Every structure is written in structure tokens, then in C-alpha cells.
Amino acid sequence: MSKKIKLGILGGGGDSLIGVLHRVASFINDNYQIVGAVFNPNFEDNMAFAKQIDIPTDRIYKDFDTLIEEELKLPKEDRIQVCSVLTPNFLHFPMVKKLLENGFNVICEKPMTTTYEEAKILQATMEKSKTVFALTHTYTGYPMVRQMREMVKAGAIGKVHKVDASYYQGWINPIIHDKEKRASTWRLDPKKAGISCCIADIGVHAFNMIEYTTGLRIKSILADFNYVYDDNPMDVDGTVLVRMDKHVKGLIRSSQIATGEENGLSIAIYGDKGGLRWEQESPNQLFVLSDDKPLQVYKPGHGYNSELSLGGTKLPPGHPEGIFDAMANIYLGVARAVRGEAYNDGEFPTMLDGVRGMDFIESTVASNKQGNVWVDLH
Amino acid sequence: MSKKIKLGILGGGGDSLIGVLHRVASFINDNYQIVGAVFNPNFEDNMAFAKQIDIPTDRIYKDFDTLIEEELKLPKEDRIQVCSVLTPNFLHFPMVKKLLENGFNVICEKPMTTTYEEAKILQATMEKSKTVFALTHTYTGYPMVRQMREMVKAGAIGKVHKVDASYYQGWINPIIHDKEKRASTWRLDPKKAGISCCIADIGVHAFNMIEYTTGLRIKSILADFNYVYDDNPMDVDGTVLVRMDKHVKGLIRSSQIATGEENGLSIAIYGDKGGLRWEQESPNQLFVLSDDKPLQVYKPGHGYNSELSLGGTKLPPGHPEGIFDAMANIYLGVARAVRGEAYNDGEFPTMLDGVRGMDFIESTVASNKQGNVWVDLH
Amino acid sequence: MSKKIKLGILGGGGDSLIGVLHRVASFINDNYQIVGAVFNPNFEDNMAFAKQIDIPTDRIYKDFDTLIEEELKLPKEDRIQVCSVLTPNFLHFPMVKKLLENGFNVICEKPMTTTYEEAKILQATMEKSKTVFALTHTYTGYPMVRQMREMVKAGAIGKVHKVDASYYQGWINPIIHDKEKRASTWRLDPKKAGISCCIADIGVHAFNMIEYTTGLRIKSILADFNYVYDDNPMDVDGTVLVRMDKHVKGLIRSSQIATGEENGLSIAIYGDKGGLRWEQESPNQLFVLSDDKPLQVYKPGHGYNSELSLGGTKLPPGHPEGIFDAMANIYLGVARAVRGEAYNDGEFPTMLDGVRGMDFIESTVASNKQGNVWVDLH
Amino acid sequence: MSKKIKLGILGGGGDSLIGVLHRVASFINDNYQIVGAVFNPNFEDNMAFAKQIDIPTDRIYKDFDTLIEEELKLPKEDRIQVCSVLTPNFLHFPMVKKLLENGFNVICEKPMTTTYEEAKILQATMEKSKTVFALTHTYTGYPMVRQMREMVKAGAIGKVHKVDASYYQGWINPIIHDKEKRASTWRLDPKKAGISCCIADIGVHAFNMIEYTTGLRIKSILADFNYVYDDNPMDVDGTVLVRMDKHVKGLIRSSQIATGEENGLSIAIYGDKGGLRWEQESPNQLFVLSDDKPLQVYKPGHGYNSELSLGGTKLPPGHPEGIFDAMANIYLGVARAVRGEAYNDGEFPTMLDGVRGMDFIESTVASNKQGNVWVDLH
């Protein structure tokens, strides 16, 4: 009998790109099989999609509650073990909560919830359960991001004194400058998209990248948003000054109006002994800087990398792996955790990352609203 | 019932990297399920590997002949539809031949055979059968390689007058300079590895890249090999002058002693109206040159790309896909062909590519042996 | 008789790097000859240096006042026409003032003065005289920076809505973390170096780059400085949020603790029709971005560039020119202005750039001191 | 009295780009003053040009013979010390010969002569005189090219076993494909341009780059030229296989039909301990490769560079210097040699480089003519 982990999927049907990303990631390391799902709220679409991707349809449920109900009727060994939550943001909280309460392990897309309060509730729920929870800050799955984390931890750049992370995209440009379009896209409607657009969607990735790679906590922030038009109620661009402490500062830059930029997540970390720079669009290069030695370019798969990094590479150096492989690395870490195998800290982002992220989003919105003042995170 | 294509796998067990690449590629687009295999010549290892990657073991066979025999006993609709041949090079010919003769579609690793003669026999065999055959020149699966092909075809760079393809690696460096090691590695033993090391392993990829992207045929070649030591009988470096015709020339550079190079496959194509440049280690950039306009950098997923290119991209621009995705694109093309669906010329390399490749390898060996003279391909 | 412009030089003797940069720049386009100088405050060193660089010593003066006095005695046609001021920052104001009052044209290193008030006085002084004044924001002399300016002006990227300029260096890293060294370097002593270190030295270049390339004025700023240690009174890192107006925002990032960074001046400008990106360390590439067309890379010397850009290139495309050539372009513009020839707006930074720069520096210091609040520029 | 070296210039008037390059290079390090010249064969143009660039006209001569005659009448201390020969190729030989015979030091543009025989005569002439002779293979003046040379010499990459140098341009593309234009350009007329176009103009630079950086001598070559059209008698593209010895091989690639390429000179050197890669269009980066360590990027001005390299950098790291600075470094070396000061081997290319270059050009032409056979250099 297969020892593959039984995977359930919520959302991600139809043309969903995030659905493809998670599904492929689950396959890559031979660890998961999809056994149940609610891909779409509409049952017909749901079934059609299951057929399209050739998943057995016996456990394609009409809705989330039915999934829970029916799965719980199954003997434990047949039941969904991990459920991936890829639904619209506002559904993350109720779904994850119920999943955790019923003992399902969860892989959740970000943002984890729509409020910090919800995030804290999920955290408490998880602590009471004995479940594994992973938040898919996908970019932490790249081998060179993992290498950054391990190098900082090992002291390769000394004491960190400056960070600069950015996430620049330009996709909203053709929308924001068109009065009709900006009034009609759900992404710019606070009722549908929550309190923030740019910061919640991408700024939070840059925030997470800083905390993931440096191991430090951001203590306070000062944010300035750009709405571009008076009739637009949502941030499409935001710069955030951050402080780890009085003498460790940095910034987070995020934009959806950086016209022509595609998926420009980047991070630079400077310490008293060296610096590190990485860019998502060239994920297989990590630049290692020093005062007086030649610039070094680390690449995946070489023996000089850390165990955490090497664990995320499947082929020898020079064979580019990409974002599907990064996400697959997160799924691999979760598989190990679910199976009770040993795994390294850093193999997947956790509930704490989710709580921190929501704290960050709410704090930046507050800072901007109050006139760009410093706001402490919890 | 699943409409996934029933995939058989020969070879690729244990630590095989090529095994991982094919297996993952088969999963990525939801098209295949592995139903049968001979992963290893040793049956115990074979079974153990099947269990490790969680494949049903009922159709894990003790050897290739048994696989053929048993599968043929199954009703046609249950039988393996496509068989991937990942075994050592010398086994490609007998296995592929028997598979084709028995009506199995085949995906074969390169080099297709060990001689041109064998290649011609396979070609004849295939023509008599009604099967699909694909040769995994993986790099043709990259969206920007496909875009190059389509741009040349559409006349974007006018009439091609010069090509320059290279494949530089340095992996054999620590072996070749050690008398013990170079005497003991199978790669440098003609009895085990065939008539060529460097040209057959990587030079042929550069050859295929030229013919794939330009649509032209190389007519004659002049080759110079480097053995580095007198006691080494195998090429570890080779430069090949090529002629399409009297006025269309080019070269193929290949090396396994380009110390520090990882997987440096690249190609430049120049025509009377423009130029194209691509490098495998940065696969998501295609440089488009002209006499008098700014350099352009094409990237995957944009609407300005051709249909063939766009069909090989799953996510929006800026989300790097890599070599697993390139191989998956080839598997996707084969799936369409096997199902009798429409597919574009160029979705997967064919029997002809295999025949051409063997012709190239033998011709270069002959040219070098005869003192670097021009040799015509068939 | 030579029609070369008679150049005087103040400062820049001994090992001065800025001295080399200006001297070479003055030679490059055959426009200047050095006829007089006070290279060093010490007369012996002054004379020795003149001999070392092989300048006639008859007009090497013992001090600045003597230079003025003696030059004024000469017939107008023999007199120094342009005087380059390369002395320590606090001397810029009195020297430039006296030069302008006495009818000498001036090329002045930045920062123009030590206070905004002084800058305003110089501006008034210049307006009363009929002199040419240039401030050497050297980077504006690069052909691709000039191209950026002309493209924005011509509407190539539409209405600008976001700017991001940075200047990252790491040179102070080995000093700042050493208690002895940071206490003893003049750069971190407000009495010697003025009110700011990082912002005044390099942040102001990024500020100028924004105003030079966009043609827009920064209206208000909010600054956050990092001193790294409590006993250090000077900014070695500073991030500045900027507003052109309510809906056009941006930021200036500057650091001298970006360990391992060399001279990392960069700028990105985003408008509703496109984006532009440039980096000083690869000065001959200008990236032109759009929503839906391939990325373009503009390079110097091509016919597709603007007149202002082409005027700054001496050789055909592919022959890298560098920072000496950029400075030479500024000297070339000044030569044209001094001779009363036609020249383009943008050929050299002006008094207004100097006034704006001092305004920026004082405003950022004020903003940081007052707790990171918004401060309006004059 | 000025101790600047008295420089004479032959050719380089009017719009000559090579004239600008040499003139600026002579100024950059305060070592030269132009005292005499024959810029143009037409005396009026000659004088006009002297006035345009503001050179004293008293020693602007009507022709080369007059220059020699008149200069020899001057007392030795007033006479031209170094004469730069920038005239059309066929004039190099007679001019340089006469200059050397009359005791003038010479800086000569490449190709040094039009035949190998002439080159040997010049070599003999120079050996009899006590003059300094430099050939301006400009690219050897780049700090990172010098660093390559010194690293190879110091054993940083071990024993060299493979070299690959290329020089790709596309400038002749719009000419070669136009019947009228290709018939009328002097560059493709053997009577005016000599026996080779592409190899003599640029291939020889790549050849020189290999010998300069490796310190090895190329022993034999096999060349294949592309004329593109039957009515074109001159090579516009050529690939040359090279052998240092039986086990050290390489290639030289040169093209003027690499459409869209600008000035693509590059070199890669591989040894048993490491590799080096450099590209002229990004001259301030030297890539240092190894089997098992991170890729390193060396940049100019850092203390880790060799003395020869550091001597060619004027400003701190991060301030790009370019091709004028590279040529200036060669002029600086010549100045030291002429003054009898100590200088490093490698500061300027010598007569031997010129002889070797002509040997290479004639050998490749012979190899191609004889049907792409191996030809030994002298």
C-alpha cells in the first residue's frame, strides 16, 4: 500500500495558477497523492476539473464542510492527512481553523488570514492541536534563500546592521490608470480584498524574506503608501522603514506600479563582516560581498552550500531549477514533519510567520493612516 | 477511469538523476501515471526503488523482456502506452527497437544509439510501426528555445549566415588530470562508453540546438578533439567547424575540461536582419539583436511570444521555470501526439533528430581521426 | 594663439583622486589648458605638484587670495577663464563667492556649500555676475543618464508616478565598527565634515539624479538615519521618503555601511507608459521597460539615442567609456557655455542643482532630528 | 621646463576615431605633449585640424619625410621623442622603419605591417636601434586583462589546457548583403585593405589576447573563412583552430557578420586548477572559476589585484574606467620605458606582438586558401 501522504485541496481549480503551482509541487518529490478536494465552489466545475486533471472523483466534495464531515467518517489511515488551502483570502481563516480543530495538517497560501486577530486565534488553535501548519511563502523554498539564512546564522556576514528588501511589480499599471478598470477590479475593493492591496499581497513577502533570512524580528515600522488616484482606496505602492532595534535598520519597498517589472522580489543584507544579495528572477545566484575580497557568486548544488540549501536541489550545478521546485521543497519539508521524520528548521514557513505577517500588514496600514508614524509590532 | 497515459520506465532507479528528471517531468502536466517499470537490472533493487517512490509494484518486472511479454498479455487499454528508456547508452538500441516493433510509443534519452547504423535501423523500424518516438534533447523544451525556433522560422533575423553553439562543462577536470582516475572511469573507456565522450555526451546537444532552432541541416563538418593525455583514448574536448552550405557556416564548441563551467550550453544565430543569443544557465532570457535598434530581451509568458513558446510556460512572467519544466514540456508534446491531439512541430525532438545526432557523432570522430578533414553528413 | 580655455584649479593636489578626475576631464576634449592653480595650501607642496604634473609654475600661487589678486592684474584675454574648486567642502562657499564676484566662471565640486543659506547667497551672487557656474554631479555626464532625461522629457514613459534612487557603498564599514577609528576619522566629526556624512556625500547624488532625469522637483521628504553606534554623531546610512506631489512618490536610499558595495548609485523611474532603470557600475546600459513589450537595453553611441546623449559619446558602440568621460562631458558643456556657443540644457548641473542639494541635505537632517517627520523643501 | 614627453602624431586627423583615442590617452597621465604632427596628407586639412584641437602649428609638417628631416635638425632635447603612427595600414611599415632608423621611439596602431616579411624587417631594424616600440593592442591595457596575465603567470589556474577567444562584431552586415556596397567599400578591396579583412582587423586582437594573457605561443592553426558571397574576395568571418602543443588547444572566433554584436572581444582560459573569463564590453569584471569553490568576480582597484593591474587603475573600486583609460595605460608604460624608468613586462605590447600577429594573419590566410589545413607559425 502506498505510503504517499494523502493530500486534500481546497480551491485552485479552473485556470488558477496557484492551483498548478501547489499541485505540481506536491508531485515533485514523490510524497503526495491527491485524494480529496473542493477545487471550486460550484460542484459541476469542481467535478469537471477533477476529471480534467485526472483525479479520482469519489472524494471530490460539494463543499468544505462536507469534506470535513465525510473525511472524518473514514478510518484515520485513509483520511486526508494534509489539506492545502488555496481559496480566496477571506476563507483562509474559517477553513484553516476548522481543519486544525479536526486534526488535519494544513498548507495555507498567504496571507494567512485577513486580520492579525484571526491569525492569533489560528495560532492558539494550532497550539491546542497536534498538527503541522505551513504557510507558503514560496520564495523561502529556493536553495539560495535557504543558503542565505544558514550563512547569516553561521555568522558569515557578522552582525547584521542593514537590510533592504523589495518586491516590485508593474501588473496593476494598466488598471490603475484607467478609471473604469480601477473601480471594477476586486483587488482594489476593500470589501473584497481586505485592508491592503500591495502590502498584503507582496510587501509581506519581502517582510517575511527579511525575518526568514536574518532570523531577526522587525520591531517597528513606518509606512508610506501611494494610491496614485484620489478615488482609489487601496495601496498599490508602499515603502516601509523598518527597525530591528535602534541600530539595525532597513526598509521594505513594494510596488504594483513599477511599470514593466515582473516579479522583482529581492533582498540585500549587510553585516559588519560582509553582505548578501539575492533576486528572485535569477534565483540560482547568491552574491556574497566583502570589504576586501572578490565578489563571490554561490550557486545551488555545490558542496560548499549548507545542508538546508543542498536538500532543496535535485540536479547537479548548472541545471536551473525554478519556482515549482522551490514550492516542492516546502511540500517536502511538510511531508517530513507530517511523517515525524527529522527536518531542519527553515524547511517551511510556520504559523509564526503567518502571525508576524498579519501583524506587519496591520501595522503598516495603521502607520500610513496615522500620517506615517512609527508603529510597533506586537 | 483515469485518462492518464500509462507510462513505463526502463532504468532511472537508485540515485539516477535522469530518473528524477523524467519522473518529475511526467507528473508536471497531469498527463502520465507510472504503471510499469524495470528501474534496475537487479530485481531486489528494482522493487525497493518502486516502493521508495511509491509506485504500485505489481508491474515492476524482473527484466525488459519480461516487461514486454507481460504487458502484451494485458488488454490493449491497460497496457503501457509510452515507455521511457533511461538505461545505459548501449541498451537504447535493442530496447527501443523491440518496443517499437511491439507497438509501444517511446521516449528515449540521448544518444539514441551507439552507431549511425543502429539509428537508421530504428528509423526504419519506427516507420513500419505506428508509434510516437521522442528523443529527450531536453533543452528544446525551454520556452525561449522554442521562441528562437519560431522567430527564425518567421524570418525575424532574415537569412541565417552564421551559427555558434557551445556546450562547456568542467566536470571531467579532476578526473582527467589524475592518472589513476582517468584510467578507471567508464566514461573514458571506449569499450563501455562508445566511440566518443565529449561530443557524444554534450557536443551533440549543441548540434541538435542548431538544427532545432534554425531549421537548417548541417551538411559537412571538420572536427578537432583534445585528449589532453596520450594515455587517454577519449575526447574530452572538441571543436567542430560546420557548414550548412558554402556561405552559411558556424561552429560547435564542446568541452568537459572547461574548468569551473557547469552546464554551459549556449547558442548564437546571426542572420542578415538580426541575431539571437541564448544561454541554458539563464534560460528565461532570449537576447534579440539588430544592427540599429536597442537590444531586446524576450522573456517567457509574454503575449509577444509565439504559440509554441507560450505553450511551454505555466506561470506569469517573472516566475522562473527551469529544466524540469523544460522536460515536462517535451512529455506534454508526446502526450498530445500519443492521444492523437493536435500539436506543433517542435514540441518534441524526433527520430530524425536521433539519426542526425548519430550521423554527427560518427562524422566528427572520423574527421578527427583522419586529421581534421571535412566530412559530409549523410 | 591657443583658443583653449584657461583653467585654474583650487585644491586637487597630492594624492587627490578628485584632482585626477577633474584634470583628466579637462584634457579629454581638447578644450582646456591649466594656466594657474593653488593645488595645496602649502606652497612647497603646491609647486612640487605642479612640477610633478608638468604644469608651468609661473602662475602657481601661494594662496587663493593671491590667485585672485594676480590674475586680475593680467589682461582679460590672458586671465583664468574657468576655475575648478576642489578644496575641502567648507572652502567652497568663500572661494566660489569671491570667484563669481570677480567675474570668473566656476566649476565646483559638490556639496556646493555647507548650508542652504550659503547656497542661496551664491545663487544671488551668480545672478548679479555674468558668469557660468557648474556643479560636478559627475554622474549626469554619462550618456545613458542623459538619455534617461531626454526620454522622460519626450514622454517615453508617460507621466512619472514612482522613483527609486539609491547610492550604496560599504567603505565606512571597517571604520564604523572600530571605536578608535570612528572617533578619529574627520568624516564622522561634525566640526570638520558638517551636519551630515552619508546624505551630504552620496544621498545628495541620488537626489540630484532624480531631479536631473525626471525634470520634477521633490517637494517634501521624511528621513531616517542610522548612526549604528550611540557614540557616533554622524549618519552613515539614511533612507528618505520623497514626494513630488501627493500621487508621485519615491525614495532615496543611501548607505556607507552596505558592506562590500562599491559605488552603487542606481535609479529606477516608473511612469504610466513605461519604466527606466540605470546603474552607475554598468553605466553603458539603460534598461527600458514596458508592460507588454520585450525589455530593451539602450547603449551609447547608437543613432536611436537623443542628441544630448550622443554628444557625450566619442567612440562607436561597444567601446566602453567611463567616469572620466562622464566628467569630461560636463567640462565640454561648460566650455561651450563659456565660449557662448549653443549647448543643451542638461550638459552640466547648475547653481540651482547646488541650491536644491543643500536644501535636501538640511531638510533630511531636520526630518531625522525631529523624529522622522515630513519636511518641505523650499 | 616641462619634462613631458614630446609626442609626434602621424595620421588621426579629421573625424578619425583612432586619433581621438590616442590623443586622449596621451593626455590622461600628464606624460605627453603633442609637439609635431602630420595629421592629414593634405596640408591645409592638417593645419586646420591642428588649430581645431589647439596644437601649436609650428611643427605641423606637410608630409612625413619633412617631419623627419625637420625634426632631425632640432637639438635632441627639443626633438619629438615618441611618434604615434595612426596612418592607413600600408603606411605603417615605411613610416615605422624610417622612424626607428632615425632613433625615434614609436607607438604604432595594429596591424603593424601588411606582411610578415615587413614585420621581420621592422624587428631587425628595431634591434639595431635603441628605441622603444609599442603596438597598440589597446585591450591589453585594461586592468582586468593585466590581472588575467598575472594570475596565469602566478599559477592561479594551474597548467593551461584550453583557450577560447572571440571577437564578434556585426558592423559589416548592412554592407555585405548589398551588392553595390560590398563592391565599393575599401575594406573589402584586397588592393586597398590587404590580404584579410576580418582576421587582420579583429581576429588578430583575439590572437594577441591569448598570447598576452597565457604567456604561451600558438604553434599551428587551421582556419576557415566565410566570404558570404562569391563575388566578395575578403573574409568577413573566420574561425581558427589553434594549438599551443598537442595537448593544449583552443580556438579563435572572429566575425563582422555577427549581426547586432558591437565590439564583442572575449576570452576564456581553462587550466587544471581553474578558469578565467573576461569580456571587453564589461571590462571591469574578471570571472575566476574553479571546480568546487564559488565563482569569484575580480574588479579593478582592489588590493587583491596584482601590481600590473593596480597600476592601470586611477580611481577606487566602483568608478568605471573604460577604453580611453586602457589606451592611456599603454601610453603610460611607454612613457616609463622612454624615460628609462622601471616598468613591468606587460605594460605595452611590443614588436614581438606585431611580428606574431602578422605571422598569424598570413598563416590563417594560407590555411584557408589551402583548404583548411594545419599551418605552422614561424
Side-chain angles (χ1 to χ4, degrees), chain B residues 107-367:
Chain B
I107 293 172
C108 181
E109 256 304 314
K110 48 128 300 267
M112 187 168 78
T113 56
T114 59
T115 67
Y116 174 71
E117 198 189 348
E118 287 176 352
K120 290 300 290 182
I121 296 171
L122 284 195
Q123 190 179 32
T125 308
M126 198 195 86
E127 279 161 13
K128 269 181 288 183
S129 74
K130 296 202 162 176
T131 53
V132 173
F133 177 88
L135 189 71
T136 49
H137 277 296
T138 316
Y139 308 109
T140 63
Y142 279 119
M144 299 331 282
V145 172
R146 295 177 166 202
Q147 179 63 13
M148 258 196 289
R149 177 186 171 98
E150 296 299 283
M151 288 179 78
V152 174
K153 196 188 286 180
I157 61 165
K159 183 181 176 302
V160 171
H161 54 220
K162 164 91 179 178
V163 295
D164 184 347
S166 79
Y167 204 144
Y168 274 13
Q169 299 185 322
W171 70 268
I172 219 165
N173 185 54
I175 293 168
I176 196 73
H177 295 295
D178 182 310
K179 202 176 167 59
E180 292 279 314
K181 286 185 189 162
R182 73 175 172 260
S184 60
T185 183
W186 71 267
R187 301 294 286 266
L188 296 178
D189 181 349
K191 280 172 208 149
K192 292 179 186 150
I195 57 172
S196 160
C197 178
C198 180
I199 285 289
D201 189 29
I202 58 175
V204 72
H205 272 302
F207 167 83
N208 180 257
M209 186 63 72
I210 289 176
E211 295 206 336
Y212 179 81
T213 55
T214 66
L216 301 174
R217 294 281 167 242
I218 288 172
K219 292 187 181 167
S220 56
I221 60 89
L222 183 158
D224 188 31
F225 292 173
N226 194 351
Y227 300 88
V228 184
Y229 292 94
D230 283 333
D231 61 8
N232 167 37
M234 292 283 268
D235 55 309
V236 293
D237 175 277
T239 305
V240 186
L241 306 180
V242 308
R243 290 184 184 165
M244 265 77 160
D245 67 33
K246 191 181 166 192
H247 296 310
V248 182
K249 297 188 174 184
L251 71 159
I252 290 168
R253 302 172 281 137
S254 63
S255 189
Q256 294 165 328
I257 56 168
T259 313
E261 301 291 356
E262 300 182 349
N263 202 32
L265 173 62
S266 71
I267 183 164
I269 312 171
Y270 302 103
D272 58 11
K273 292 196 184 134
L276 297 171
R277 274 198 331 231
W278 178 85
E279 296 184 8
Q280 194 272 150
E281 296 190 18
S282 299
N284 296 314
Q285 293 185 312
L286 171 60
F287 295 94
V288 181
L289 297 84
S290 84
D291 285 329
D292 52 11
K293 287 191 286 289
L295 173 67
Q296 290 185 301
V297 189
Y298 279 54
K299 303 188 204 171
H302 284 282
Y304 53 70
N305 285 301
S306 63
E307 184 187 308
L308 181 64
S309 174
L310 287 169
T313 307
K314 296 180 286 298
L315 294 182
H319 295 82
E321 303 189 29
I323 194 165
F324 286 92
D325 307 284
M327 183 65 103
N329 289 333
I330 290 175
Y331 267 77
L332 176 58
V334 172
R336 287 181 180 141
V338 167
R339 286 175 174 148
E341 297 170 9
Y343 65 97
N344 288 301
D345 182 49
E347 290 199 34
F348 55 88
T350 65
M351 176 63 72
L352 183 60
D353 292 287
V355 172
R356 298 279 311 156
M358 290 316 303
D359 198 356
F360 172 73
I361 294 166
E362 290 199 353
S363 300
T364 55
V365 170
S367 169

Side-chain angles (χ1 to χ4, degrees), chain A residues 292-314:
Chain A
D292 52 11
K293 286 191 289 288
L295 173 66
Q296 290 184 302
V297 188
Y298 280 53
K299 302 188 206 172
H302 283 283
Y304 53 70
N305 285 302
S306 62
E307 184 187 308
L308 181 63
S309 174
L310 287 168
T313 307
K314 294 180 288 298

Side-chain angles (χ1 to χ4, degrees), chain C residues 56-362:
Chain C
T57 54
D58 53 326
R59 284 155 78 179
I60 303 300
Y61 300 101
K62 75 177 164 65
D63 57 27
F64 171 64
D65 291 328
T66 311
L67 177 141
I68 297 283
E69 194 179 333
E70 294 298 320
E71 287 291 321
L72 288 177
K73 290 181 190 164
L74 296 174
K76 186 123 210 238
E77 64 273 19
D78 293 342
R79 210 177 287 166
I80 285 170
Q81 292 168 271
V82 175
C83 196
S84 292
V85 180
L86 320 178
T87 51
N89 297 349
F90 72 96
L91 292 173
H92 292 180
F93 173 69
M95 286 180 168
V96 173
K97 188 160 177 289
K98 192 160 175 179
L99 285 164
L100 296 177
E101 285 168 349
N102 286 285
F104 294 92
N105 301 296
V106 171
I107 293 172
C108 181
E109 258 303 313
K110 50 128 299 269
M112 187 169 78
T113 56
T114 57
T115 67
Y116 175 70
E117 198 188 348
E118 287 177 354
K120 292 299 290 182
I121 295 171
L122 284 195
Q123 189 179 33
T125 307
M126 196 195 86
E127 279 162 12
K128 270 183 287 182
S129 73
K130 296 203 161 175
T131 53
V132 174
F133 177 88
L135 189 72
T136 48
H137 277 296
T138 316
Y139 308 110
T140 63
Y142 279 118
M144 299 331 282
V145 172
R146 294 177 167 202
Q147 179 62 14
M148 259 198 288
R149 176 186 171 100
E150 297 298 284
M151 288 179 78
V152 173
K153 196 189 284 181
I157 61 165
K159 183 181 178 300
V160 171
H161 53 221
K162 164 91 179 178
V163 295
D164 183 347
S166 79
Y167 204 145
Y168 275 13
Q169 299 184 322
W171 71 268
I172 221 166
N173 186 53
I175 294 169
I176 196 73
H177 294 296
D178 182 310
K179 201 177 168 60
E180 291 280 315
K181 286 185 189 162
R182 73 175 173 260
S184 60
T185 182
W186 71 266
R187 301 294 285 268
L188 296 178
D189 181 350
K191 281 173 208 150
K192 291 178 186 152
I195 58 173
S196 160
C197 177
C198 181
I199 285 289
D201 189 30
I202 58 174
V204 72
H205 273 302
F207 167 83
N208 180 258
M209 186 62 72
I210 290 175
E211 295 206 336
Y212 179 81
T213 54
T214 65
L216 301 174
R217 295 280 166 243
I218 288 172
K219 293 187 179 168
S220 55
I221 60 87
L222 181 158
D224 187 31
F225 292 172
N226 194 350
Y227 300 88
V228 183
Y229 291 94
D230 283 333
D231 61 9
N232 167 36
M234 293 284 269
D235 55 309
V236 293
D237 174 278
T239 305
V240 186
L241 306 179
V242 309
R243 290 184 183 165
M244 265 75 161
D245 68 32
K246 191 180 166 191
H247 295 310
V248 182
K249 298 189 173 184
L251 71 159
I252 290 168
R253 302 173 280 137
S254 63
S255 188
Q256 295 165 328
I257 55 168
T259 312
E261 301 290 358
E262 300 182 350
N263 203 31
L265 174 62
S266 72
I267 183 164
I269 312 171
Y270 302 103
D272 57 11
K273 292 197 184 132
L276 297 170
R277 273 199 330 232
W278 177 85
E279 296 184 8
Q280 194 273 150
E281 296 190 18
S282 299
N284 297 315
Q285 294 184 310
L286 172 60
F287 295 93
V288 181
L289 298 83
S290 84
D291 285 329
D292 51 11
K293 287 190 288 289
L295 173 67
Q296 290 185 301
V297 189
Y298 279 53
K299 303 188 204 171
H302 284 283
Y304 53 70
N305 285 300
S306 63
E307 184 187 308
L308 182 64
S309 175
L310 287 168
T313 307
K314 295 181 286 298
L315 294 182
H319 295 83
E321 303 189 31
I323 194 165
F324 286 91
D325 307 284
M327 183 65 104
N329 289 334
I330 291 176
Y331 268 77
L332 176 59
V334 171
R336 287 182 179 140
V338 166
R339 287 174 173 149
E341 296 169 11
Y343 65 97
N344 289 301
D345 182 48
E347 289 198 34
F348 55 88
T350 65
M351 177 61 73
L352 182 59
D353 292 287
V355 171
R356 299 280 310 156
M358 291 316 303
D359 197 356
F360 172 73
I361 295 167
E362 290 198 355

Side-chain angles (χ1 to χ4, degrees), chain D residues 79-97:
Chain D
R79 207 179 290 166
I80 285 170
Q81 292 169 274
V82 175
C83 196
S84 292
V85 180
L86 320 178
T87 52
N89 298 350
F90 73 95
L91 292 174
H92 292 181
F93 173 68
M95 286 180 167
V96 173
K97 187 159 177 288

